[in-house]
Amino acid sequence: MTGITDFDALRRAMAENSEQPEGPARNARAEQLLGEAERLNIPLAVIEALGHQLKVYNYSSEKDKMFVPFARLLRMWDERPEDFDEYEAHSLHWVFKWVSAGMLDQPHVPLASVEKWLGEMEHRYRLAGHSERAVRGAEFSVAAHVGDVERAERAFAAWLAADRDTMADCHACELHGQGWWQAERGRDAEALQLWAPVLEGVYSCAHEPHTVLASSLVPLLRLGRLEEARAHHLRGFRLVRTMESMRGAYADHVEFCALTGNEARGLELLAERPAYFTDEGHPRSRLEFLSVVALLMERLCALGLGDQRVPGPAGRTWTARGLAAHARGEALALAARFDDRNGTSYVSERARARMAQRPLAQRLPLGVRAVRPATAAGPGAPAGAERAAGPAEESGPSRPPGLPGLLAEARRLSDGLLPHAVEAWAAVARAAEGAELDARDRAEIADHEAMGLGPQGAETFERAAELYEEAGDPGEALAAHARAAYVRALAGDVDGAVAAVAGPYDRVLALYAEGGTGIPQAAGVLMGRARILMRRVQETEGPLPQRVRTDAEAAVREVLALVGGRAGDDVRLAARIAEGHAMLAELAARSGDAERGAELFAGAAAEFVAAGLPWFAVEYEARLAGLAHQLGDLVEAERALRAALEHGGTHLEPVGRAQLHLQLAEVVCGRGRGGEAAEHALEAAHWADAAGEGPTLGAWARHQLGGLLVRQGRWAEAAEVLESALADLRADTHGDGVVVQTQWWLGDCLSELGEHRAAAERRLQAAETARHWPEQHDHATLAHLAAESLGQAGLPADADRAYARAGELWRSLGNVHGLVRSLRARAWLALRTEDGPDAARALMTAAVEECADALGGTEDEESRLRLVGELGHTHRQFGDLLARSAAEDADDDSIRATLEEALGQMARAVAVFVSLDDGTPPHARTGAELAAGWLETDLGRPAQAAARARAVLRAYADTADADGGADETVRARRAEAEQLLQVVEEQATG
């Protein structure tokens, strides 16, 4: 049993089906409902069911099914037009446009049939008295599709010139079509100008701004307006993601990813919609989709990723290379079918041009999570997609071939402390396999191999020391022993490292005194010892013991005393001096002298830059920025961070770049530049992903970015970013406070976007976590917000329970304002439920009593004023609630009694607001006064109503008039008071 026994039940069922997601299930239900309508034996029921079927087919992937129900409707119209009511007669003519477009999108429908149908549409519109605007728009679509530019331009002009009437598409859809043609003809700026009212929300409909946002992506990229393009992608993809009928717009978003270096994001989009590869109900959008699939796959092949697994049509495993060939072949076969139908080559030319596009932006970070494809590295290339340039790209001569050339290049890099020296020595080691090398060469190879091993390099450093001894360089051997000791400290054995470095320290001082080694070698040992003692400083938690500080500082000053004034042009010695000053800076900061620490870090960074080693300055500029931030000097913090990014240049590792951008985001946000802060957070997320730190640092960056977008009111973008962040945020990694804040922000976004059920879910999730916190204010707030969302989602019973829970929490916190507002909200909900006016009245009465009780117990004047205001608003809402509760079908005496009670509450509200007199604008009082005035008119008391209107006008007598700068509320209050006076006058004269 379906339960459909009458026309009203059928209409309810069709309305419910219309609210279901697009797709085959909704279409199947529409087909069932048509059968039910036929059993009712009511012609209009069948007409409405056919119209419903047409609508769901049109908004699905089964658009090819539209033609049968439309043909039946048209036949019914021709045979018995009197069976159609006004709405269904209008709808029949309206869907002519859908059917004409639908024919054009099906290559099996002959072009002659399309043209014939266009003539039929024009004839029927003329008979019905409609403008030719919709007809000329349809003609334009035909001409544009086949590539008849001259006819298209004529039809386009005629379309715009014809009068708009009830058959014209909505403004939003028309502007989309007009802008699309401008972009198609290469007039991107004009297209965006036409689309502006849709993008700004002036015009909208079921499919707009969805398609305008998608269509604007490539024009924006071509114009170099990358920030807008990114925003339109994040905002627009959210709109089309769940709409099955929008495969063409979905394809635009995949295309955007392929053209902006976001191939990984493009793959994720393909994986979300596997049916789009094969759904055949709308061949034109399938052609568009397959064309951009080919574009994306060929882009992956160009990156050396042809063998990567990719999502594709079900039934087999796909690689990028295999899917590229498949999608191109399918797309061109479809295009050929259209061209055979049209008698032109235009569709194929457009498809080939789309597939042949080159990237319009090499890198456009989106801020959302994406698993990056592993870029294939060429021979000798550094691992990772975004590593800095290799040795051959440094300044200086290009690397000569052969082992001697590799040795020379490696020594040039290591002697100059240039980046990639370790990689250069690794290349020497590979080239030297099986070759005869002297002990010095082998020592340097081992030395740099150990440097690349980090904390695991101690044994290799010891082997290097033996080779330096064999080569006759005892000073460098001792320096290698010191480096071995230091890496032991890095591995956590600081005491062992101190003991291990003692011997080399004593021996190198004696050797240097005898002239057996030079300053660089001696400085190497002394610096190794200083670094070890600084590790003890760094590992000390809490206050720094005096002995630890004294030992470390003495070791550092010993290095500076040895090297100071002797560096000359030796960059290695200059680096020792700069590093020594940086160590003193750290000691000062750890000892509580942040200002001295900042000064020394600044000096150390400047010394590295002066020595031609700016990449070494990065760490200390970042430390300087942290101290400057701590000291409240945001200007200096920002300068230091920008300098760090500049000095790091191409040598800065992705994770370091991410961290610097995150710090800079915090600093510039603190300086009131939220938009710029969002840009840095975006960069941070991008570089964290590039470093393989997406689930950790990247998630934190996305959390920060989402919050910054929320502050700017960029709700759709923020929602995409925050949802992406939540996929990786973990309480044990990032802290449950971060998770809760992200869910909170996301709930705010979803609420603003009208996704109230989803907003409630996020807020309830956040509240559940906050429930376990010692301080319960956040728990109460989130419970209250979740209740709001549940109410807006049409779930009053759930909302009432959530408000009741919030009320209990507010009461336990002693927060009267939260408690009162939860009671008022529950009263309004009760009015919509079976509990009805009595329950609503009881809840609102409780809210008034809570205010009154709290007022009796407060002595603080500021708190008293806030409570008085809350009481006034509660009386005002009580009056509104009573007025709305007056049942229209009740007897006159009952209605009058309810209105009298409502007026009493309004009068109390006015009195409370009058007593407030806290110097704020009287908007609350005048609002209540006007509400009372309207109730006076309903009760037949024109004199009292007029008195209230005049009281409002007097309240604003000294406020600038509407032309002189009065705010919007003042103008609205005056206008309403004048309107009330006019109604009173009409009542008096009537």
Side-chain angles (χ1 to χ4, degrees):
M1 294 291 291
T2 65
I4 297 177
T5 57
D6 56 45
F7 200 172
D8 287 340
L10 175 69
R11 283 174 165 163
R12 286 194 298 273
M14 290 190 294
E16 290 171 3
N17 195 45
S18 294
E19 297 301 316
Q20 298 305 306
E22 295 177 353
R26 186 170 75 157
N27 295 354
R29 178 60 174 155
E31 291 161 6
Q32 291 175 356
L33 292 175
L34 176 59
E36 298 287 348
E38 289 169 336
R39 279 189 280 277
L40 292 177
N41 199 28
I42 301 172
L44 184 58
V46 175
I47 291 167
E48 290 189 13
L50 286 167
H52 174 64
Q53 197 177 70
L54 257 171
K55 180 180 179 181
V56 298
Y57 284 155
N58 185 60
Y59 293 114
S60 78
S61 62
E62 299 180 311
K63 293 177 184 284
D64 55 335
K65 291 185 174 181
M66 284 193 303
F67 306 119
V68 171
F70 182 75
R72 184 176 173 187
L73 271 173
L74 195 59
R75 185 173 64 253
M76 293 174 72
W77 169 262
D78 289 338
E79 292 173 355
R80 290 181 58 83
E82 64 272 16
D83 289 341
F84 288 69
D85 62 16
E86 183 179 355
Y87 177 82
E88 292 303 328
H90 177 273
S91 296
L92 174 69
H93 287 81
W94 180 268
V95 296
F96 261 97
K97 298 178 293 183
W98 293 357
V99 174
S100 64
M103 288 182 171
L104 200 61
D105 295 338
Q106 304 289 334
H108 70 274
V109 178
L111 190 62
S113 297
V114 176
E115 295 283 7
K116 180 181 178 182
W117 186 257
L118 187 62
E120 178 77 6
M121 178 181 175
E122 182 172 12
H123 171 69
R124 288 179 178 269
Y125 271 42
R126 189 181 301 116
L127 286 178
H130 297 306
S131 164
E132 67 172 11
R133 189 179 182 92
V135 177
R136 298 285 76 83
E139 181 188 4
F140 160 75
S141 297
V142 173
H145 172 66
V146 302
D148 188 344
V149 175
E150 184 178 344
R151 183 188 179 193
E153 292 283 19
R154 284 199 312 271
F156 185 85
W159 171 27
L160 268 61
D163 292 336
R164 280 187 58 82
D165 67 352
T166 57
M167 281 298 121
D169 282 342
C170 74
H171 282 288
C173 288
E174 283 206 332
L175 288 172
H176 173 248
Q178 293 162 21
W180 173 85
W181 182 241
Q182 298 299 333
E184 190 74 7
R185 302 302 298 154
R187 299 185 285 263
D188 292 332
E190 290 86 342
L192 288 159
Q193 187 174 0
L194 279 165
W195 288 330
V198 182
L199 295 170
E200 293 165 4
V202 177
Y203 302 120
S204 63
C205 68
H207 278 187
E208 295 298 350
H210 314 42
T211 56
V212 163
L213 285 163
S215 296
S216 71
L217 295 172
V218 171
L220 284 168
L221 292 174
R222 288 195 295 242
L223 291 170
R225 292 160 61 174
L226 304 186
E227 299 295 321
E228 292 173 74
R230 175 176 58 235
H232 286 198
H233 169 64
L234 293 177
R235 179 184 165 201
F237 181 68
R238 185 173 192 83
L239 294 173
V240 304
R241 171 180 263 151
T242 60
M243 300 182 71
E244 185 195 54
S245 64
M246 302 203 72
R247 179 164 53 181
Y250 201 98
D252 291 340
H253 287 279
V254 176
E255 177 183 42
F256 165 84
C257 294
L259 298 177
T260 57
N262 287 290
E263 296 83 9
R265 168 81 166 173
L267 292 176
E268 291 184 359
L269 267 57
L270 296 187
E272 285 192 30
R273 279 290 185 179
Y276 276 173
F277 288 98
T278 52
D279 282 344
E280 296 182 348
H282 191 241
R284 192 170 177 181
S285 69
R286 183 165 182 255
L287 166 59
E288 293 166 352
F289 183 75
L290 290 171
S291 296
V292 300
V293 170
L295 170 69
L296 177 61
M297 295 304 117
E298 289 171 8
R299 177 64 188 147
L300 289 172
C301 291
L303 292 172
L305 298 167
D307 294 327
Q308 176 163 321
R309 291 272 299 273
V310 295
R316 58 169 282 191
T317 298
W318 294 92
T319 64
R321 185 177 294 106
L323 185 57
H326 171 81
R328 176 176 283 273
E330 290 283 302
L332 291 177
L334 264 175
R337 289 177 58 199
F338 279 106
D339 284 341
D340 288 345
R341 188 271 301 273
N342 299 339
T344 70
S345 60
Y346 184 68
V347 174
S348 294
E349 290 167 3
R350 290 186 74 248
R352 286 193 175 89
R354 194 170 197 182
M355 291 186 280
Q357 292 177 99
R358 307 302 303 160
L360 294 170
Q362 291 300 321
R363 183 183 74 86
L364 180 57
L366 302 178
V368 291
R369 173 178 180 263
V371 179
R372 298 176 60 79
T375 304
E386 310 228 23
R387 287 285 299 274
E393 297 172 296
E394 298 292 342
S395 58
S398 57
R399 186 165 60 201
L403 183 56
L406 290 172
L407 272 166
E409 177 66 6
R411 287 207 171 95
R412 181 183 76 83
L413 293 173
S414 56
D415 290 347
L417 298 181
L418 296 170
H420 307 298
V422 170
E423 291 93 333
W425 280 104
V428 170
R430 289 192 297 271
E433 290 180 8
E436 289 291 332
L437 292 176
D438 62 30
R440 179 75 190 193
D441 294 339
R442 287 182 285 127
E444 291 185 81
I445 290 173
D447 208 359
H448 287 86
E449 180 187 349
M451 293 176 192
L453 292 173
Q456 286 75 47
E459 291 183 8
T460 311
F461 274 127
E462 297 290 2
R463 188 170 79 248
E466 294 171 2
L467 290 167
Y468 280 125
E469 287 281 6
E470 183 182 336
D473 191 342
E476 199 61 56
L478 291 170
H481 283 303
R483 288 191 281 274
Y486 175 56
V487 298
R488 287 192 176 94
L490 290 178
D493 185 10
V494 177
D495 290 340
V498 170
V501 82
Y505 169 72
D506 291 337
R507 290 198 297 274
V508 84
L509 289 179
L511 191 63
Y512 176 66
E514 297 167 358
T517 193
I519 291 177
Q521 291 75 23
V525 176
L526 267 59
M527 180 56 79
R529 180 170 176 270
R531 287 171 177 166
I532 291 168
L533 292 170
M534 286 298 296
R535 286 296 297 175
R536 184 167 279 165
V537 170
Q538 292 155 1
E539 291 185 359
T540 300
E541 296 182 3
L544 193 62
Q546 184 62 39
R547 179 62 182 273
V548 172
R549 175 197 165 98
T550 301
D551 288 350
E553 184 173 348
V556 173
R557 292 197 182 281
E558 192 173 8
V559 175
L560 293 173
L562 174 68
V563 181
R566 299 182 178 90
D569 295 331
D570 190 329
V571 295
R572 292 173 299 175
L573 293 180
R576 301 295 189 206
I577 295 171
E579 185 179 356
H581 287 143
M583 289 175 170
L584 293 178
E586 185 173 358
L587 285 167
R590 281 299 309 271
S591 302
D593 191 349
E595 292 184 1
R596 178 61 177 159
E599 180 184 341
L600 286 167
F601 275 132
E607 287 168 338
F608 276 121
V609 174
L613 304 170
W615 45 88
F616 283 114
V618 173
E619 176 185 351
Y620 307 114
E621 284 161 336
R623 300 284 297 278
L624 167 60
L627 287 175
H629 201 174
Q630 177 185 329
L631 292 166
D633 188 352
L634 296 186
V635 174
E636 175 62 6
E638 181 180 346
R639 184 209 63 75
L641 289 168
R642 291 190 186 281
L645 283 168
E646 178 188 348
H647 292 146
T650 58
H651 309 302
L652 194 58
E653 290 291 326
V655 68
R657 193 177 295 276
Q659 290 166 338
L660 288 171
H661 276 296
L662 260 181
Q663 287 179 266
L664 200 47
E666 182 180 359
V667 169
V668 299
C669 181
R671 298 192 66 194
R673 304 202 305 272
E676 185 182 349
E679 293 173 12
H680 287 294
L682 177 68
E683 287 290 325
H686 168 80
W687 288 110
D689 289 344
E693 298 287 338
T696 51
L697 183 61
W700 171 252
R702 277 182 269 279
H703 161 80
Q704 297 284 67
L705 173 59
L708 290 163
L709 293 171
V710 166
R711 293 177 199 177
Q712 297 172 55
R714 293 159 66 177
W715 308 112
E717 296 169 66
E720 283 290 303
V721 170
L722 293 167
E723 286 175 343
S724 183
L726 279 172
D728 288 318
L729 286 173
R730 298 290 181 270
D732 55 352
T733 303
H734 302 92
D736 57 6
V738 171
V739 176
V740 166
Q741 181 62 80
T742 306
Q743 291 169 326
W744 193 329
W745 281 332
L746 180 55
D748 291 346
C749 293
L750 296 170
S751 178
E752 292 288 341
L753 294 169
E755 300 176 36
H756 299 299
R757 190 181 292 258
E761 181 180 348
R762 292 301 184 180
R763 287 167 165 173
L764 288 169
Q765 289 170 348
E768 177 60 24
T769 302
R771 182 170 67 88
H772 303 287
W773 293 353
E775 208 289 314
Q776 288 288 286
H777 185 272
D778 285 343
H779 181 200
T781 304
L782 285 162
H784 200 114
L785 290 170
E788 286 183 8
S789 294
L790 289 165
Q792 291 168 320
L795 301 168
D798 293 330
D800 182 71
R801 284 192 292 272
Y803 274 126
R805 176 62 181 145
E808 293 170 4
L809 290 165
W810 290 129
R811 187 185 295 280
S812 70
L813 290 167
N815 189 318
V816 179
H817 300 278
L819 172 59
V820 167
R821 289 168 190 176
S822 67
L823 288 166
R824 293 197 309 237
R826 292 182 66 197
W828 284 107
L829 284 170
L831 203 59
R832 297 157 48 189
T833 65
E834 295 177 359
D835 297 332
D838 291 342
R841 188 190 305 264
L843 287 162
M844 202 64 84
T845 299
V848 170
E849 290 171 351
E850 292 289 349
C851 282
D853 290 347
L855 268 170
T858 186
E859 297 180 358
D860 178 71
E861 181 61 15
E862 183 179 347
S863 298
R864 189 191 71 81
L865 290 173
R866 285 189 64 211
L867 285 167
V868 169
E870 199 73 75
L871 179 61
H873 288 297
T874 305
H875 281 303
R876 164 69 199 270
Q877 287 200 33
F878 203 166
D880 285 334
L881 181 141
L882 289 167
R884 293 192 193 182
S885 71
E888 292 182 3
D889 57 353
D891 60 80
D892 290 347
D893 290 342
S894 175
I895 292 174
R896 186 173 186 84
T898 302
L899 294 180
E900 288 281 10
E901 189 179 358
L903 179 59
Q905 291 292 338
M906 288 298 180
R908 291 188 186 93
V910 172
V912 169
F913 288 134
V914 167
S915 73
L916 192 59
D917 191 23
D918 58 353
T920 59
H923 301 330
R925 174 171 68 81
T926 57
E929 193 87 73
L930 287 167
W934 291 113
L935 286 168
E936 302 274 22
T937 62
D938 290 339
L939 291 165
R941 299 168 185 167
Q944 291 90 328
R948 293 189 181 278
R950 293 189 187 98
V952 171
L953 294 173
R954 283 197 303 273
Y956 296 117
D958 296 330
T959 307
D961 59 26
D963 295 329
D967 69 26
E968 186 176 343
T969 303
V970 173
R971 291 194 293 272
R973 291 282 192 272
R974 283 174 168 163
E976 189 177 353
E978 296 288 356
Q979 182 186 8
L980 180 55
L981 285 172
Q982 184 177 352
V983 169
V984 167
E985 184 178 345
E986 290 171 356
Q987 278 187 343
T989 58

